[in-house]
Amino acid sequence: MRWFRKRRSGSSRKELNNELTHIEARLSSRHEGIAFHVVMTATVHSDPPYEMEAAQVTASIRAAVRHAAAEVLRVRDAFDLATVQDVCAAELARERSLAAKPPVLFSAKVTVGLLAEDRAAVSALLDAQRKQSVADELRRQRTDALAAQLSDPAVVLARWLERNDSDWSKAPEDAKTADIAQRFAQYRPVEHLGVEYALVDAVRQFLSSFPEPSQKRMIHTILAGGMRAMDRPAQAELVEALAQGLEPVAAGGP
């Protein structure tokens, strides 16, 4: 289909854009079984003629924008559509090109949503997470309270007597109750563990803010380099080994 080579550039580009007004796809989120429903509109910014047929141009652009959206969405939660929409829209708004002479320049707009079944799955998942969060928090509070109580030797002895019919003849020696109490006294919730643990948590949050494995590997490399500079090769090797286990980046793409 070389027909559009003979027409005026503006008309041919308009006709190409007319073929790219509705690019639809269902693309995976980071949650298995839950996918985003996306509708995209691509716009060609360069004029024909290209060394490609019209059908090949539109097919390649459709494939490219679907791939770009899929790369963004596969690491995103389906809980916050507004944020996902903004991130995906910013990525697709970047101008891309097809390998042709001259290159075919294009960008795209996108609307991200969820179909009814996926909305239901998200609601079910959120409900399950809320219930689990409540159960975990109650368990943590019980553990913290019990540890605080049993850090006192007198409470350790009282608990022992409650379970052993108040038989004083079999009560543990003071050294034993003191040892048990000391073990519980050493337990502290994460938020009370001090600056080092707070720093580790801050690093964890910083690392998790980068969705792409390539970004995470870069942070690992920087961290390992700093450890080597401070003459800590064992820790650097551990960080580098952890980086090797990150999910590889898919090959290809626009």
Side-chain angles (χ1 to χ4, degrees):
M1 293 179 64
R2 303 285 182 177
W3 51 269
F4 69 92
R5 282 175 175 265
K6 300 177 182 180
R7 297 191 177 190
R8 291 180 303 167
S9 296
S11 176
S12 296
R13 190 168 79 176
K14 180 178 179 180
E15 290 175 4
L16 286 175
N17 286 334
N18 287 340
E19 296 296 321
L20 298 169
T21 57
H22 189 87
I23 306 170
E24 193 169 359
R26 185 174 184 269
L27 302 174
S28 298
S29 72
R30 68 178 296 179
H31 308 288
E32 185 175 354
I34 298 177
F36 296 102
H37 176 247
V38 298
V39 178
M40 294 166 285
T41 297
T43 302
V44 176
H45 301 297
S46 56
D47 288 326
Y50 316 115
E51 292 184 349
M52 298 174 67
E53 295 182 351
Q56 185 181 1
V57 171
T58 55
S60 297
I61 291 176
R62 285 173 176 270
V65 296
R66 284 193 177 103
H67 177 82
E71 285 296 291
V72 174
L73 297 176
R74 67 184 179 84
V75 296
R76 294 289 167 180
D77 288 317
F79 304 144
D80 185 359
L81 279 180
T83 298
V84 173
Q85 168 70 44
D86 289 345
V87 172
C88 194
E91 177 63 23
L92 267 66
R94 292 196 303 109
E95 190 172 76
R96 290 175 164 79
S97 65
L98 297 180
K101 292 183 180 180
V104 185
L105 304 179
F106 65 95
S107 63
K109 296 180 180 180
V110 61
T111 300
V112 182
L114 294 169
L115 297 177
E117 291 183 355
D118 292 304
R119 286 198 301 272
V122 168
S123 296
L125 184 58
L126 280 173
D127 184 57
Q129 289 185 348
R130 290 189 190 99
K131 291 179 180 178
Q132 185 62 49
S133 295
V134 171
D136 291 345
E137 179 60 21
L138 291 174
R139 188 181 302 110
R140 186 190 67 80
Q141 290 182 9
R142 286 195 295 268
T143 300
D144 292 351
L146 180 62
Q149 292 175 15
L150 295 181
S151 62
D152 183 342
V155 176
V156 174
L157 180 60
R159 286 295 187 96
W160 188 92
L161 291 172
E162 288 175 357
R163 295 194 173 194
N164 292 274
D165 300 324
S166 300
D167 188 350
W168 286 93
S169 65
K170 298 180 180 180
E173 297 179 355
D174 290 347
K176 182 65 174 179
T177 55
D179 178 62
I180 294 173
Q182 178 61 29
R183 294 186 187 186
F184 280 104
Q186 292 174 351
Y187 166 79
R188 287 179 294 173
V190 173
E191 59 269 23
H192 298 151
L193 287 175
V195 175
E196 289 185 3
Y197 285 89
L199 178 61
V200 170
D201 191 56
V203 171
R204 180 192 62 76
Q205 293 179 33
F206 174 71
L207 187 61
S208 65
S209 69
F210 294 92
E212 295 296 335
S214 60
Q215 296 172 321
K216 294 181 185 295
R217 277 195 293 272
M218 178 185 67
I219 301 301
H220 279 72
T221 300
I222 294 172
L223 184 58
M227 291 176 173
R228 290 191 185 281
M230 297 298 293
D231 195 24
R232 299 294 188 274
Q235 287 82 0
E237 290 175 2
L238 176 59
V239 171
E240 290 168 346
L242 292 172
Q244 294 300 317
L246 292 173
E247 180 184 355
V249 177

